[in-house]
Amino acid sequence: MLRETKLKEIPEIKIHGRTTACRDPLTLFWTASGFECNVTGSELWVELEVTFHLYEPWFSYTVNGDWVGRQMLQKGRYWIPLFRGMSPETVKNVHFFKDLQAMSDDGESYIHIHALRHDGTFYPVADKKLKMEFIGDSITSGEGLFGAKSEQDWIPMFFSAVRSYAYQTAERLDAEYRIFSQSGWGVHNTWDNNINGALPKYYKEICSLMPGAENERLGGKQPHDFASWQPDVVVVNLGTNDAASFDQPAWTDTQTGERYKMRREADGSYCMEDVKAFQQAAKAFLGLLRSCNPSAQIVWCFGMLGMDFQQYIQEAVSAYAQEASDHKVLYLPLPPMTPESAGSREHPGFKCHQQAAEVLAGYLAELL
Amino acid sequence: MLRETKLKEIPEIKIHGRTTACRDPLTLFWTASGFECNVTGSELWVELEVTFHLYEPWFSYTVNGDWVGRQMLQKGRYWIPLFRGMSPETVKNVHFFKDLQAMSDDGESYIHIHALRHDGTFYPVADKKLKMEFIGDSITSGEGLFGAKSEQDWIPMFFSAVRSYAYQTAERLDAEYRIFSQSGWGVHNTWDNNINGALPKYYKEICSLMPGAENERLGGKQPHDFASWQPDVVVVNLGTNDAASFDQPAWTDTQTGERYKMRREADGSYCMEDVKAFQQAAKAFLGLLRSCNPSAQIVWCFGMLGMDFQQYIQEAVSAYAQEASDHKVLYLPLPPMTPESAGSREHPGFKCHQQAAEVLAGYLAELL
Amino acid sequence: MLRETKLKEIPEIKIHGRTTACRDPLTLFWTASGFECNVTGSELWVELEVTFHLYEPWFSYTVNGDWVGRQMLQKGRYWIPLFRGMSPETVKNVHFFKDLQAMSDDGESYIHIHALRHDGTFYPVADKKLKMEFIGDSITSGEGLFGAKSEQDWIPMFFSAVRSYAYQTAERLDAEYRIFSQSGWGVHNTWDNNINGALPKYYKEICSLMPGAENERLGGKQPHDFASWQPDVVVVNLGTNDAASFDQPAWTDTQTGERYKMRREADGSYCMEDVKAFQQAAKAFLGLLRSCNPSAQIVWCFGMLGMDFQQYIQEAVSAYAQEASDHKVLYLPLPPMTPESAGSREHPGFKCHQQAAEVLAGYLAELL
Amino acid sequence: MLRETKLKEIPEIKIHGRTTACRDPLTLFWTASGFECNVTGSELWVELEVTFHLYEPWFSYTVNGDWVGRQMLQKGRYWIPLFRGMSPETVKNVHFFKDLQAMSDDGESYIHIHALRHDGTFYPVADKKLKMEFIGDSITSGEGLFGAKSEQDWIPMFFSAVRSYAYQTAERLDAEYRIFSQSGWGVHNTWDNNINGALPKYYKEICSLMPGAENERLGGKQPHDFASWQPDVVVVNLGTNDAASFDQPAWTDTQTGERYKMRREADGSYCMEDVKAFQQAAKAFLGLLRSCNPSAQIVWCFGMLGMDFQQYIQEAVSAYAQEASDHKVLYLPLPPMTPESAGSREHPGFKCHQQAAEVLAGYLAELL
């Protein structure tokens, strides 16, 4: 007999991703956030509540570690079947992933999890060997991992949590992981020089880059409790949009009227004053990461989508390490996207993410 | 503005897979059957009607040739979103696949397609370079292509149309394809000696292996109109279950009381009388295939799941070719599953299907 | 202290390839023929005697199974160093390969092995798990396995024993192997319709396809003692030149004045009378192979360099199996050469041979 | 008709590797040094003069870019055939490689090239797109690239110029390259704390690390003329032996009696004073490289054989870049050796070098 159990009444469940303490419902903010359960019984459903204005969320899920489904979500509160007809007595591991980044352009785009319908018993989910946090931009949000190469629409269908280098790296290292990412954003500003799109400014709250009253209500602007989940490794994959902003028009803050722009010199070279501002922001972010994650190995990755800026990132990372006498901070180049490894929207595809995961996981396995 | 159009009112749509002439609704019998459309507009939904008793159907779909979603279906008649937020003016190619074989154990397991909801215009779908038909057992039904290696449940979740060697071979050769397959069945009998599970007996009807009144009502028992779709290549991938039946208990026909069994000799070797019965059935099937598909290249593939029987299959294929003076019939071994290429339920996994597609497509590209 | 020991005084040595009983010196006829020894000591030299008129022999050698050297040989009798400076007490396995086929166009092209210079002790070479014989044409002679793709000269430099599918298949299966092959030859005639170039005519002697008095003197025309070395597997890779001869001018026997030609019909199709002559020759060869190798599994491989003829080969193989009730004879297609896997002289390169070895070894591992 | 031409009389020939101005004979000091010629004619021989006390040199050669031979050399002056029987009118490119590093433990180990015997005409060798210099230790000397995994002897047979990441990287980038390397040596000292084995100390002379009167006579101690060959890229692959020396006994300078040792602290961590000495040496070396190669992109590679020291190397590289305002100096980790990619003597094998070349060439292609 199927019965319905509120999520808050299932202490054995494991929650993935930064979120609030609320479990009735559980709100999913970030890509790759979700829940994981070990359950007996023949059948399992999940009760979702989905809201959005522009960008509908998607989800993916795995059964016993193997990806079996992915679908676009409609608005409303409803039940979705996850498995049926399975041997009742065995324990099944089910992992539900939000398959879309926090959408800073749509303050209503959320998945909430209310309950599970099932005919089994829940068991605790064991911890993995490692905890990892990935901080990045569109690459880390998995943009371009679905869709034909020719696709140009910026829509949720083409984002993926489960095909990205983050997922794959975590699989190879037997790690639990979280993602903190935003497409188009950087260390100092966005790809189009908007200084509000500097990810470090949002690092200390649960999910403060989602706009509006709904995010306020859901608690996204509350401080994040770093002590509750300390990563062994923090991977930063930022800089691509900072580099791009040197070739974009200025951005004007409509409130102050001030204009912002990363500049090039007359000879086409980067304006070193602006490069230094970027480097200063990078070093400050590393200091912030260290203060929040006192014992983590930090690795700054770069290069999947252009390497123009790497000289300056590498120098900033090492300068921070030496100035702070913090010798657990390294720089690691990742394999560049090629025509063969490209996905949709001129972003790295599955093959490029696979190559990146191979390099990063091999590197960390050796390092740790 | 979204509007609803009955499938029968969209002549530009292409139907895949053997089915009846009915389009209101369109009934999907076989795995990999479905529809394909070229459509403009920003959004597309499909109206399904789903029935089943034991085994729920799943579907997968591609957008512009790239697989974007897969989900388990609930009973009932309802709308499912396929894409939204896309550039309205571009033509999108959407291909909907039934992701489960015709289930001969569940006479109510069907997907029906009623209508599409959209805000665009439909355009014709161009023909591909080739037409192919694949005839087979669980391997061709894609059993084991989803799910962890440890999975043992025989459930729809673990079948796949879109990961199989048939899909991959067709992609490599730019072919449209159909599948005629049934898990556990063979040329002469099933894996457990049931002589009703001989696929050739059902080849001339649309889908006569589905039992019961519902199949009768839907027209599955009607003769198939071979002239309407003539394949350039017919791939037969049968024999694995015939070989297995030598090691299984006899099957008794409960109506006649007769017992059937493929036998081994006292020394463990195959009983040659039974082998000859198999060979006779294989040759007769090749004759039937030829009569239905006068100009097709026929390739009998074998070996993904054990090669024990291949000597006899190879001999039967060549004997047919010589006796019938039909020199467009060849035998091709496919790479055997290894521990690394296994999927769930001790069946070939994606890697094994990929290897098979590489061999088969390479072979056909050279041959044609 | 280095000392010289005649080969005939080293009973521990293992001789590879068909040859006579003479060991003073040992004559190497076929490609991949040679010697293998287990020896202690710090240094090893080999005393060769090399003759040729047009086509100089080459050799390759392995130390402990790893290929370390390959060189062109000059005329004369001289010593060549194989290793030096190694730990004296360990046993080193050294395998010397003739790296050139028996050259039927140069009756003086031979390597003779007289003696070894060393400071160690010889130990017996253990038998491998399997014995294999490979019978073929230029593909099996390793033509095209060295040299840039653009090379067109037909010279020994571009032949290789050690890169071929035969070597690689034997390595994967832990097999000792022999090669019986001739570039340009076939089952019924050569690529240019010469009926003297039918390999089956030479199968019963040690190496009767080498012309002239020198071969007479060396014993190449003596009957081969099949009982002395019975293969577990015989691989036949012939038919490519037979197929090619349909597109070549007739060959005239200058002694009888008779003209020979495999013909095409006016419509371009193969003349079936000639195809039947080929099939007859193929079946007769299989009968001969069986009479010489009573318990071997025979596999006829084909397809690395064009598949045009495979229908007829496959039919001939199965017809033989059925007519002779000999069910240890199978046909196996091998992966066709592609632009990426081509070597020099428009022949299969290392990658194509590697693919063939993978298929063949995987197949045999499953079969045996 | 074959004729003999002194090397000094062939101005069209291209010399590879650091050497003196002498061409009668040409002396080969470093691994991968040699000569390259474009020549018509049917046949080519080379006259070598080979000397050694302990470690015999080997050579490899390519014909039209494809590796065809490799052999151990005997003492003496003699002729070796490189090709014969080729079409006389075509131009053949032949590249002769010393296949052994400069052996600092054997002051007599040299190859000298006197003359070529041929029947053709020489033509100039065109320049490649890039010039590269590789500076390294045993990895760059190709130690372990030949020989079975179990081999432990430190002998020339197991070194290779032609299988190394340097050769492969140069091939992928269409680059001419030189190698400056010594097995066991480092930036500050050798693997066993010998401060004479610091490669930077020898960088300004042609080949001053070879000991003895013979090297004096041959001119190895003369200053190298950097202006004569300016690389576009300098790859440094050093640090592995410096890292290892922390775990080795002290080395005593027998002339001064002084003891040298890179130390660990009581808790097992590196002694930071010694790490700083290493970093100081690394920065000084980068300064020296820049002064000798004013416009080269410098890349410090590390990690094929242990990554323990990379934090300090990365910091030193970036510190140099910032202190010197020299922004053409980068650090690049290379893929670590795994059990599958290991060669002989517990050194990286071909597969590991291939992975390194893929990363390095991909990186440079993007960077340049």
Side-chain angles (χ1 to χ4, degrees):
Chain A
M1 276 295 295
L2 293 180
R3 60 190 174 278
E4 296 175 8
T5 313
K6 291 273 183 196
L7 201 76
K8 66 170 180 180
E9 287 157 8
I10 313 175
E12 295 86 359
I13 221 161
K14 172 169 275 192
I15 307 303
H16 290 285
R18 283 189 184 192
T19 188
T20 63
C22 179
R23 293 291 174 270
D24 193 21
L26 163 70
T27 297
L28 304 183
F29 293 89
W30 301 96
T31 192
S33 64
F35 69 87
E36 183 181 357
C37 65
N38 281 338
V39 64
T40 58
S42 68
E43 198 163 329
L44 183 71
W45 299 63
V46 61
E47 189 190 20
L48 304 180
E49 185 177 355
V50 176
T51 61
F52 65 89
H53 175 60
L54 275 175
Y55 298 116
E56 81 285 351
W58 289 56
F59 83 95
S60 276
Y61 70 111
T62 62
V63 172
N64 294 327
D66 197 71
W67 185 22
V68 294
R70 175 180 197 251
Q71 65 186 83
M72 183 192 290
L73 290 170
Q74 308 182 34
K75 286 177 189 171
R77 182 165 170 171
Y78 47 83
W79 288 92
I80 284 183
L82 297 179
F83 68 71
R84 62 181 296 285
M86 299 194 81
S87 299
E89 67 284 359
T90 62
V91 175
K92 272 74 69 176
N93 177 278
V94 175
H95 190 150
F96 179 105
F97 294 79
K98 182 163 186 271
D99 219 1
L100 180 66
Q101 67 168 12
M103 289 303 252
S104 60
D105 286 347
D106 182 351
E108 294 171 38
S109 181
Y110 289 105
I111 301 177
H112 308 284
I113 312 286
H114 283 279
L116 296 174
R117 184 189 291 157
H118 63 99
D119 55 353
T121 307
F122 290 91
Y123 292 91
V125 175
D127 282 344
K128 301 217 166 184
K129 271 202 301 203
L130 279 181
K131 287 190 178 67
M132 299 184 67
E133 184 181 45
F134 294 84
I135 301 168
D137 47 34
S138 58
I139 300 169
T140 304
S141 288
E143 183 178 339
L145 277 166
F146 275 97
K149 284 197 188 187
S150 57
E151 303 290 2
Q152 293 299 342
D153 290 328
W154 196 81
I155 53 174
M157 186 188 278
F158 301 143
F159 284 78
S160 168
V162 189
R163 282 188 168 178
S164 84
Y165 77 96
Y167 177 89
Q168 294 184 60
T169 301
E171 280 295 292
R172 285 163 188 254
L173 296 173
D174 189 27
E176 176 185 327
Y177 74 108
R178 293 177 171 190
I179 289 184
F180 182 94
S181 65
Q182 195 64 201
S183 189
W185 292 29
V187 178
H188 184 267
N189 49 253
T190 62
W191 69 283
D192 54 358
N193 286 294
N194 183 339
I195 57 160
N196 293 326
L199 269 168
K201 293 182 182 170
Y202 305 84
Y203 188 69
K204 299 194 77 165
E205 293 87 42
I206 289 173
C207 182
S208 52
L209 54 70
M210 288 288 286
E214 177 69 358
N215 186 47
E216 203 78 57
R217 188 183 73 79
L218 293 170
K221 302 237 170 359
Q222 293 168 12
H224 175 58
D225 174 12
F226 287 95
S228 66
W229 194 87
Q230 277 284 304
D232 301 289
V233 180
V234 173
V235 173
V236 184
N237 190 345
L238 285 171
T240 301
N241 291 303
D242 295 281
S245 66
F246 284 76
D247 298 313
Q248 294 295 325
W251 171 81
T252 305
D253 187 331
T254 53
Q255 299 192 313
T256 65
E258 244 176 296
R259 299 177 73 243
Y260 295 89
K261 162 117 189 75
M262 298 301 255
R263 293 160 298 172
R264 286 194 182 264
E265 301 293 350
D267 66 357
S269 65
Y270 292 119
C271 163
M272 288 309 291
E273 192 186 327
D274 293 344
V275 167
K276 281 194 184 356
F278 164 80
Q279 289 182 314
Q280 200 47 51
K283 292 197 287 183
F285 188 30
L286 288 168
L288 173 62
L289 290 174
R290 177 57 72 223
S291 72
C292 297
N293 308 285
S295 61
Q297 171 70 50
I298 300 174
V299 179
W300 195 305
C301 291
F302 191 67
M304 291 169 75
L305 198 50
M307 307 199 318
D308 276 4
F309 223 54
Q310 81 158 326
Q311 180 79 41
Y312 307 116
I313 298 177
Q314 189 169 118
E315 289 176 13
V317 170
S318 287
Y320 162 76
Q322 290 175 299
E323 290 164 15
S325 286
D326 176 354
H327 300 301
K328 291 183 74 175
V329 182
L330 280 163
Y331 173 85
L332 176 72
L334 294 180
M337 179 178 83
T338 63
E340 287 72 37
S341 69
S344 64
R345 304 199 75 257
E346 288 153 27
H347 268 71
F350 180 69
K351 204 172 159 187
C352 182
H353 279 259
Q354 199 173 30
Q355 291 165 346
E358 210 172 306
V359 167
L360 179 53
Y363 184 83
L364 289 171
E366 192 76 19
L367 191 68
L368 296 174
Chain B
M1 275 296 296
L2 293 180
R3 59 189 174 279
E4 295 176 6
T5 313
K6 290 271 182 199
L7 202 76
K8 65 171 178 178
E9 290 157 7
I10 313 176
E12 296 85 358
I13 220 160
K14 173 168 273 189
I15 307 303
H16 290 285
R18 282 189 184 192
T19 188
T20 63
C22 180
R23 294 291 174 271
D24 192 21
L26 162 70
T27 298
L28 305 183
F29 294 89
W30 301 95
T31 191
S33 65
F35 69 88
E36 183 182 358
C37 66
N38 281 339
V39 64
T40 57
S42 67
E43 199 162 327
L44 184 70
W45 299 63
V46 61
E47 189 190 19
L48 305 179
E49 185 177 353
V50 177
T51 60
F52 64 89
H53 176 59
L54 273 176
Y55 298 115
E56 81 285 350
W58 289 55
F59 82 94
S60 275
Y61 70 111
T62 62
V63 172
N64 294 326
D66 197 72
W67 184 23
V68 294
R70 176 179 198 251
Q71 64 186 83
M72 183 192 288
L73 290 170
Q74 309 182 33
K75 285 177 191 172
R77 182 166 171 171
Y78 46 83
W79 288 92
I80 283 182
L82 296 179
F83 68 72
R84 61 181 298 285
M86 299 194 81
S87 299
E89 68 283 359
T90 62
V91 175
K92 270 75 68 175
N93 177 278
V94 175
H95 191 149
F96 179 104
F97 293 79
K98 182 164 187 268
D99 220 1
L100 180 66
Q101 68 168 13
M103 291 301 254
S104 60
D105 287 347
D106 180 351
E108 294 170 39
S109 181
Y110 290 104
I111 301 177
H112 308 285
I113 312 286
H114 282 279
L116 297 175
R117 184 190 290 157
H118 62 101
D119 56 354
T121 307
F122 290 91
Y123 292 92
V125 176
D127 281 346
K128 302 216 167 185
K129 274 201 299 203
L130 280 181
K131 288 192 177 66
M132 299 184 67
E133 183 181 46
F134 294 85
I135 300 167
D137 47 34
S138 57
I139 299 170
T140 303
S141 288
E143 183 178 339
L145 277 167
F146 276 97
K149 284 198 188 185
S150 54
E151 302 290 1
Q152 294 299 342
D153 291 329
W154 196 82
I155 54 174
M157 186 188 277
F158 302 143
F159 283 78
S160 168
V162 189
R163 282 187 168 179
S164 84
Y165 78 96
Y167 177 89
Q168 294 183 61
T169 301
E171 281 295 292
R172 286 163 188 254
L173 297 172
D174 189 28
E176 177 183 327
Y177 74 108
R178 293 178 170 188
I179 290 184
F180 183 94
S181 65
Q182 196 64 201
S183 190
W185 291 29
V187 178
H188 184 268
N189 49 252
T190 63
W191 69 282
D192 53 358
N193 286 294
N194 183 339
I195 57 159
N196 294 326
L199 269 168
K201 293 181 182 170
Y202 305 84
Y203 187 70
K204 298 194 78 168
E205 293 88 42
I206 290 173
C207 182
S208 53
L209 55 69
M210 288 288 287
E214 177 68 357
N215 186 48
E216 203 79 56
R217 187 184 74 80
L218 293 169
K221 303 240 170 358
Q222 293 168 12
H224 174 58
D225 174 11
F226 287 96
S228 66
W229 195 87
Q230 277 284 304
D232 302 289
V233 180
V234 174
V235 174
V236 183
N237 190 344
L238 286 170
T240 302
N241 290 304
D242 295 281
S245 66
F246 284 75
D247 298 312
Q248 295 294 327
W251 171 81
T252 305
D253 186 332
T254 51
Q255 299 193 312
T256 66
E258 244 178 294
R259 299 178 73 244
Y260 296 89
K261 161 118 190 74
M262 298 301 254
R263 295 159 295 172
R264 287 195 181 264
E265 301 292 350
D267 65 359
S269 65
Y270 292 119
C271 164
M272 287 310 290
E273 190 186 329
D274 293 345
V275 166
K276 280 193 185 357
F278 164 81
Q279 290 182 313
Q280 200 49 49
K283 292 197 288 182
F285 188 30
L286 288 168
L288 173 62
L289 290 174
R290 177 57 73 222
S291 72
C292 297
N293 308 284
S295 62
Q297 171 70 50
I298 300 174
V299 179
W300 195 304
C301 293
F302 190 68
M304 291 169 75
L305 198 50
M307 306 200 319
D308 275 4
F309 222 53
Q310 80 158 325
Q311 180 78 41
Y312 307 116
I313 297 176
Q314 190 169 117
E315 289 176 12
V317 170
S318 286
Y320 162 77
Q322 290 176 298
E323 290 164 14
S325 286
D326 177 356
H327 300 301
K328 290 184 74 175
V329 182
L330 281 163
Y331 172 85
L332 176 72
L334 293 180
M337 180 178 82
T338 63
E340 287 73 35
S341 69
S344 64
R345 304 200 74 257
E346 287 153 28
H347 269 70
F350 180 70
K351 203 171 161 188
C352 183
H353 278 259
Q354 199 173 31
Q355 292 165 345
E358 209 171 305
V359 167
L360 179 53
Y363 184 83
L364 289 171
E366 192 77 19
L367 192 67
L368 298 175
Chain C
M1 276 295 296
L2 293 179
R3 59 191 174 278
E4 296 176 7
T5 312
K6 290 273 183 198
L7 201 75
K8 66 171 178 178
E9 289 157 9
I10 313 176
E12 296 85 359
I13 220 160
K14 170 168 276 191
I15 307 303
H16 290 286
R18 283 189 184 192
T19 187
T20 64
C22 180
R23 293 292 174 270
D24 191 20
L26 163 71
T27 298
L28 304 183
F29 293 89
W30 301 95
T31 192
S33 65
F35 69 87
E36 184 180 358
C37 65
N38 282 338
V39 62
T40 58
S42 67
E43 198 162 329
L44 183 71
W45 298 63
V46 61
E47 190 189 19
L48 305 180
E49 186 177 353
V50 176
T51 61
F52 65 89
H53 176 59
L54 274 176
Y55 298 115
E56 81 287 350
W58 289 56
F59 83 95
S60 276
Y61 71 111
T62 62
V63 173
N64 294 328
D66 196 72
W67 185 22
V68 294
R70 176 179 197 251
Q71 65 186 83
M72 184 192 289
L73 290 169
Q74 307 182 34
K75 287 176 188 172
R77 181 166 170 170
Y78 46 83
W79 288 92
I80 283 183
L82 297 179
F83 68 70
R84 61 182 297 284
M86 298 193 80
S87 299
E89 66 285 359
T90 61
V91 176
K92 271 75 67 176
N93 177 279
V94 175
H95 191 149
F96 179 106
F97 293 80
K98 182 164 187 272
D99 218 2
L100 180 66
Q101 68 168 13
M103 289 302 252
S104 60
D105 286 348
D106 182 350
E108 293 171 39
S109 181
Y110 290 104
I111 301 175
H112 308 284
I113 313 286
H114 283 278
L116 297 174
R117 185 189 290 157
H118 63 101
D119 55 354
T121 307
F122 290 91
Y123 293 92
V125 176
D127 281 345
K128 302 216 167 184
K129 273 201 300 203
L130 280 181
K131 287 191 179 65
M132 298 183 69
E133 184 181 44
F134 294 84
I135 300 168
D137 47 34
S138 57
I139 299 169
T140 305
S141 288
E143 184 178 338
L145 277 166
F146 275 98
K149 284 196 187 186
S150 56
E151 303 290 2
Q152 293 298 343
D153 291 329
W154 196 80
I155 54 175
M157 185 188 278
F158 302 142
F159 283 79
S160 168
V162 189
R163 282 188 170 179
S164 83
Y165 77 95
Y167 177 89
Q168 293 184 61
T169 301
E171 281 294 294
R172 286 162 188 254
L173 296 173
D174 189 26
E176 176 184 327
Y177 75 107
R178 292 178 171 189
I179 289 183
F180 183 94
S181 67
Q182 195 65 201
S183 189
W185 291 29
V187 179
H188 183 268
N189 49 252
T190 63
W191 68 284
D192 54 358
N193 286 295
N194 184 338
I195 58 160
N196 294 325
L199 270 168
K201 294 182 181 169
Y202 305 85
Y203 188 69
K204 299 194 77 165
E205 293 88 43
I206 290 172
C207 182
S208 53
L209 55 70
M210 287 288 286
E214 178 68 358
N215 187 47
E216 203 77 59
R217 188 184 73 79
L218 293 170
K221 303 239 170 357
Q222 293 167 11
H224 174 58
D225 174 12
F226 287 96
S228 66
W229 194 88
Q230 276 284 305
D232 301 289
V233 179
V234 173
V235 173
V236 184
N237 190 343
L238 285 170
T240 301
N241 291 304
D242 295 281
S245 65
F246 284 75
D247 297 313
Q248 294 295 326
W251 170 81
T252 305
D253 186 332
T254 52
Q255 298 192 315
T256 65
E258 245 177 295
R259 299 178 74 240
Y260 296 89
K261 162 117 189 75
M262 299 300 255
R263 294 160 296 173
R264 287 195 182 262
E265 300 294 351
D267 65 358
S269 65
Y270 292 119
C271 164
M272 287 309 292
E273 192 186 327
D274 293 345
V275 167
K276 282 195 184 354
F278 163 81
Q279 290 182 314
Q280 199 49 49
K283 293 197 287 183
F285 189 29
L286 289 167
L288 173 62
L289 290 173
R290 176 58 72 223
S291 72
C292 298
N293 308 285
S295 62
Q297 170 70 50
I298 300 175
V299 179
W300 196 304
C301 293
F302 190 68
M304 290 168 75
L305 198 50
M307 307 200 317
D308 276 4
F309 223 54
Q310 81 158 327
Q311 179 80 40
Y312 307 116
I313 298 177
Q314 190 169 116
E315 289 177 12
V317 170
S318 288
Y320 162 77
Q322 290 175 298
E323 290 165 14
S325 286
D326 177 356
H327 300 302
K328 289 183 75 174
V329 182
L330 280 163
Y331 172 85
L332 176 71
L334 293 180
M337 179 179 83
T338 64
E340 288 70 38
S341 69
S344 64
R345 306 198 74 260
E346 287 154 27
H347 269 70
F350 180 70
K351 203 172 160 187
C352 182
H353 279 260
Q354 199 173 30
Q355 291 165 346
E358 209 171 307
V359 167
L360 178 53
Y363 184 83
L364 289 171
E366 192 76 18
L367 192 68
L368 298 175
Chain D
M1 276 297 295
L2 293 179
R3 57 190 176 279
E4 295 175 5
T5 313
K6 290 273 183 198
L7 201 75
K8 66 171 179 181
E9 289 157 6
I10 313 175
E12 295 85 359
I13 220 161
K14 172 168 273 188
I15 307 304
H16 290 285
R18 283 189 184 192
T19 186
T20 64
C22 180
R23 292 293 174 269
D24 193 20
L26 162 70
T27 297
L28 304 183
F29 293 89
W30 301 94
T31 191
S33 64
F35 69 87
E36 183 181 359
C37 65
N38 282 338
V39 64
T40 58
S42 69
E43 198 162 328
L44 183 70
W45 298 63
V46 61
E47 190 191 18
L48 305 179
E49 186 176 353
V50 177
T51 61
F52 64 88
H53 176 59
L54 273 176
Y55 298 116
E56 81 286 349
W58 290 56
F59 83 96
S60 277
Y61 71 111
T62 62
V63 172
N64 293 328
D66 197 72
W67 184 22
V68 294
R70 177 180 197 250
Q71 66 185 84
M72 183 192 289
L73 290 170
Q74 307 183 34
K75 286 177 189 172
R77 181 166 169 171
Y78 46 83
W79 288 92
I80 283 183
L82 298 179
F83 68 71
R84 61 181 298 285
M86 298 194 81
S87 299
E89 66 285 356
T90 61
V91 176
K92 272 73 68 176
N93 177 278
V94 175
H95 191 151
F96 179 106
F97 294 80
K98 183 165 187 268
D99 220 1
L100 180 66
Q101 68 168 13
M103 290 301 254
S104 61
D105 286 349
D106 181 351
E108 293 171 40
S109 180
Y110 290 104
I111 300 176
H112 308 284
I113 312 286
H114 283 278
L116 297 174
R117 185 189 289 158
H118 64 102
D119 56 353
T121 308
F122 289 91
Y123 292 92
V125 176
D127 282 345
K128 302 216 166 182
K129 274 202 299 204
L130 280 181
K131 288 191 178 66
M132 299 183 68
E133 184 180 46
F134 294 86
I135 300 167
D137 47 34
S138 57
I139 298 170
T140 304
S141 288
E143 183 178 339
L145 277 167
F146 276 98
K149 284 198 187 185
S150 56
E151 302 290 1
Q152 293 299 343
D153 291 329
W154 196 81
I155 55 174
M157 186 189 279
F158 301 143
F159 283 78
S160 168
V162 190
R163 281 188 170 179
S164 83
Y165 77 96
Y167 177 89
Q168 293 185 62
T169 301
E171 280 295 293
R172 285 163 189 252
L173 296 172
D174 190 27
E176 177 184 327
Y177 74 108
R178 293 179 169 187
I179 289 184
F180 182 94
S181 66
Q182 196 64 201
S183 189
W185 292 29
V187 179
H188 184 268
N189 49 252
T190 63
W191 69 283
D192 53 358
N193 286 295
N194 182 339
I195 58 160
N196 294 326
L199 269 169
K201 292 181 181 170
Y202 305 84
Y203 187 69
K204 298 195 77 168
E205 293 88 42
I206 290 172
C207 183
S208 53
L209 55 69
M210 287 288 286
E214 179 67 357
N215 187 47
E216 202 77 58
R217 188 184 74 79
L218 293 169
K221 303 239 169 1
Q222 293 168 12
H224 174 58
D225 175 12
F226 286 96
S228 65
W229 195 88
Q230 278 283 305
D232 301 290
V233 180
V234 174
V235 173
V236 184
N237 190 344
L238 285 170
T240 302
N241 291 304
D242 296 281
S245 65
F246 284 76
D247 297 312
Q248 295 294 327
W251 171 81
T252 305
D253 186 333
T254 51
Q255 299 191 315
T256 65
E258 244 176 295
R259 299 178 74 241
Y260 296 88
K261 162 117 189 76
M262 298 300 255
R263 295 160 296 174
R264 287 193 181 265
E265 301 294 350
D267 66 358
S269 66
Y270 292 119
C271 163
M272 287 310 290
E273 190 186 329
D274 292 345
V275 167
K276 282 193 182 359
F278 164 80
Q279 288 182 314
Q280 199 48 50
K283 292 197 288 180
F285 189 29
L286 288 168
L288 173 62
L289 290 174
R290 176 57 73 223
S291 71
C292 298
N293 308 285
S295 62
Q297 171 70 51
I298 300 174
V299 179
W300 195 305
C301 292
F302 190 68
M304 291 169 74
L305 198 49
M307 305 201 319
D308 275 5
F309 223 54
Q310 81 156 327
Q311 179 80 40
Y312 306 117
I313 297 177
Q314 189 169 117
E315 289 176 12
V317 169
S318 286
Y320 162 77
Q322 290 175 298
E323 290 165 15
S325 285
D326 177 356
H327 299 301
K328 290 183 73 175
V329 182
L330 281 162
Y331 172 85
L332 177 71
L334 294 180
M337 180 178 83
T338 63
E340 287 72 36
S341 70
S344 65
R345 306 199 73 257
E346 288 154 26
H347 269 69
F350 180 70
K351 203 171 161 188
C352 183
H353 278 259
Q354 199 173 31
Q355 291 166 344
E358 209 171 307
V359 167
L360 179 53
Y363 184 83
L364 289 171
E366 191 77 18
L367 192 68
L368 297 174

